Amino acid sequence: MKARILEIFRSVQGEGKYVGASHVFVRFFECNMHCVWCDTPASIGDGKREYKELTLDDVLSKVNDLYGNSHSVSITGGEPLLQKDFLKEFCPALHQEGKKIYLDTNGTLPGGLQEIIKHIDIIAMDLKLPSSTGQKPFWTEHRDFLNIASCKEVFIKAVISLNTTRQDVLKAARLVADVDPGILFILQPNYLDMKKGVIDHCLEHQKTCAKILKDVRILPQVHKFMKLR
Ligand code: SF4
């Protein structure tokens, strides 16, 4: 079996709970969404559809070359769960080598997660707010996904743009609280709106969410400041 891979590289995790940790990133090609502010357009096939078809041995070998004493392997995209059949072989192989597996996902494919959840250590789950992404809502999918993910370490990221509504943020916070109000909830300001006042919006949303959830943080994409990929 082969996977469609955009790139494999080692860098610093720039988002979420493990920001600053050294990760080896395996970026899978293609996504089932098309967020208006997507910062990895190459991974969703915008512009040129350029990717490599790699075997399991190819990917494992490249990861091993880069891994060193990294914190974990970040399986990202695009949306990696679109290639769940490859992950079913890839993840156990990584575990056999003692590597930790961090899944970065848009949280819209609960069926895919169910099939590989036993192989995942940490889940960084996006909650895609329709007023933020410009896409249709995925509330039902997100609820199902988080219910499955909650048996593992999971935290939430929600990108906040100038268009994000209080109604969507509140709905997202309630969805998470219904599963577990202790789940870390990160408001991630859209990097394109950083100079346009989006932080003020985040501060307001944080107050709203903190009435429902125990741990609500505002955290930008740190790798952009460090000019890392
Ligand atoms: S889910 Fe992620 S990879 Fe897919 S379009 Fe949205 S931001 Fe881009």
Side-chain angles (χ1 to χ4, degrees), residues 31 33-35 37-38 40 44 78 106 128:
C31 187
M33 293 193 70
H34 206 286
C35 305
W37 31 252
C38 180
T40 56
I44 61 175
N106 64 25
K128 297 295 189 183

Side-chain angles (χ1 to χ4, degrees), residues 81-122:
L81 288 174
L82 290 174
Q83 299 188 58
K84 62 180 167 50
D85 291 335
F86 182 84
L87 294 179
K88 279 186 205 168
E89 295 181 9
F90 181 45
C91 295
L94 290 174
H95 268 169
Q96 264 186 356
E97 295 169 352
K99 296 180 175 66
K100 199 181 285 182
I101 301 174
Y102 175 109
L103 175 67
D104 202 339
T105 169
N106 64 25
T108 63
L109 298 171
L113 180 68
Q114 184 73 68
E115 290 189 43
I116 64 154
I117 183 77
K118 64 182 176 193
H119 305 303
I120 304 297
D121 299 301
I122 303 167

Side-chain angles (χ1 to χ4, degrees), residues 2 8 53-64:
K2 289 188 176 178
I8 302 173
E53 286 199 313
L54 299 179
T55 65
L56 180 63
D57 285 347
D58 292 336
V59 181
L60 284 172
S61 163
K62 183 78 176 160
V63 168
N64 281 334

